[in-house]
Amino acid sequence: MPPSASPSVIACLGPVGSFSHLITEKRFPTIPVETLATVGEVFDFLATHPEAEGIVPIENSSGGFIIDTVDRLVDDRCQLWIQEELTLDVKLALLGHAGSPIEVIYSHPMPFFHADEWLKKHHPDARRVTRPSTAAAAELAAAEPAAAAIGPRQNATRHGLDLLHYPIAGDVPNITQFFRLGHQPAPADAAHNRSALVVELADRPGSLCLFLSPLSKAGINMKRLESRPLRGQPNKYRFYIEIEGSTAESRVSSALERARQDGATIRSLGSYTSGTLFES
């Protein structure tokens, strides 16, 4: 598919009503969405659908990296490119049955983590039960009169629940960032302010410092760094690294070339725009 063409379908982590589904609909309101059960299934779907794009979570401000996404990106078999980084300002809602007591609350582990202090204060006796998604939590709560769910407020309408409280812990930032993935590099754009790299370094003291030195000298800021084990190769690792700037910039390309001369193996996952913000 040419880089400028619109995808025929967007694959995302489901089910319908999940935060991944929510940001996908906000970003592509007119394109069909394919919801899948895992991050891995999104990558597998894209591998067999060249006309499709995908949206997967990469990081949550409370829980950190989404390792499933990182592992698929650094895998040598991954042929996808990062097109764009999307940011969702996650605002959680308590959904339930107005006037009924709350004995159990369902949600995904991440909302429970973010809302822990609020729940201790407002619903200290309610039993917390984790579910695979906030959508599944809302579906369960809808079937039980003494149950509630934590998730996006849109799930109230989807599952016939009342909006009991919104937003939960609204004074604490809860940001989730997502990657839009495609089969071609993002078209060159002066607005590209981020690049993602897969880096392998020699197994010797100082190799990471040697790689980072040309970036530092060029004034290039590093935004993310994660080491991941090489599949089937014990005690060997590759790095997932994000830097500010585009590989089309001379200072960036020159710094990376110097790092290659110093022994680094570098594969680009693309240069793209970050900072596109949506609110749940």
Side-chain angles (χ1 to χ4, degrees):
M1 184 179 67
S4 59
S6 296
S8 63
V9 62
I10 305 291
C12 74
L13 184 62
V16 171
S18 66
F19 285 112
S20 293
H21 176 251
L22 175 63
I23 197 170
T24 301
E25 286 199 320
K26 286 179 175 288
R27 179 62 179 84
F28 292 103
T30 63
I31 295 179
V33 177
E34 181 80 18
T35 56
L36 298 163
T38 66
V39 166
E41 287 185 21
V42 175
F43 278 83
D44 292 342
F45 180 90
L46 295 178
T48 57
H49 293 76
E51 78 290 354
E53 290 186 358
I55 291 180
V56 292
I58 181 64
E59 186 176 6
N60 178 268
S61 59
S62 297
F65 268 123
I66 310 302
I67 293 301
D68 289 348
T69 298
V70 176
D71 282 345
R72 292 302 293 255
L73 287 172
V74 303
D75 193 306
D76 286 331
R77 296 168 295 181
C78 179
Q79 301 296 315
L80 300 173
W81 297 81
I82 300 170
Q83 304 285 320
E84 182 180 20
E85 183 184 78
L86 308 170
T87 297
L88 183 65
D89 184 0
V90 176
K91 296 193 182 300
L92 298 168
L94 182 68
L95 314 175
H97 309 273
S100 297
I102 297 177
E103 297 175 1
V104 59
I105 299 175
Y106 297 106
S107 193
H108 184 272
M110 199 62 68
F112 276 143
F113 181 84
H114 179 75
D116 181 61
E117 292 300 321
W118 187 89
L119 287 169
K120 287 177 180 176
K121 179 179 180 180
H122 296 279
H123 297 281
D125 298 324
R127 185 166 50 95
R128 303 184 200 181
V129 178
T130 60
R131 303 308 302 153
S133 69
T134 54
E139 185 176 1
L140 276 174
E144 300 177 25
I150 295 176
R153 55 182 169 169
Q154 291 84 353
N155 281 347
T157 301
R158 287 192 177 98
H159 297 280
L161 293 165
D162 297 309
L163 186 63
L164 302 179
H165 186 91
Y166 175 86
I168 294 174
D171 57 332
V172 181
N174 186 18
I175 301 296
T176 300
Q177 291 161 315
F178 300 80
F179 281 154
R180 176 166 66 92
L181 304 175
H183 295 273
Q184 302 290 335
D189 192 322
H192 289 168
N193 58 1
R194 193 72 61 87
S195 297
L197 311 167
V198 179
V199 178
E200 291 187 39
L201 302 173
D203 186 11
R204 62 173 184 261
S207 60
L208 180 58
C209 182
L210 194 64
F211 169 78
L212 296 175
S213 180
L215 301 180
S216 177
K217 290 178 180 178
I220 298 167
N221 190 30
M222 186 172 62
K223 301 300 293 183
R224 290 182 175 125
L225 170 65
E226 181 77 10
S227 67
R228 300 302 300 153
L230 286 173
R231 194 167 65 102
Q233 301 183 50
N235 300 315
K236 292 189 177 182
Y237 302 86
R238 59 168 55 113
F239 293 90
Y240 171 81
I241 295 174
E242 287 179 40
I243 58 175
E244 288 185 345
S246 168
T247 55
E249 297 177 50
S250 59
R251 69 186 181 105
V252 175
S253 60
S254 296
L256 294 179
E257 180 56 33
R258 176 55 191 270
R260 288 187 176 96
Q261 292 172 5
D262 289 335
T265 300
I266 303 171
R267 172 166 63 92
S268 174
L269 293 169
S271 295
Y272 49 92
T273 301
S274 66
T276 305
L277 179 65
F278 298 87
E279 189 172 282
S280 67

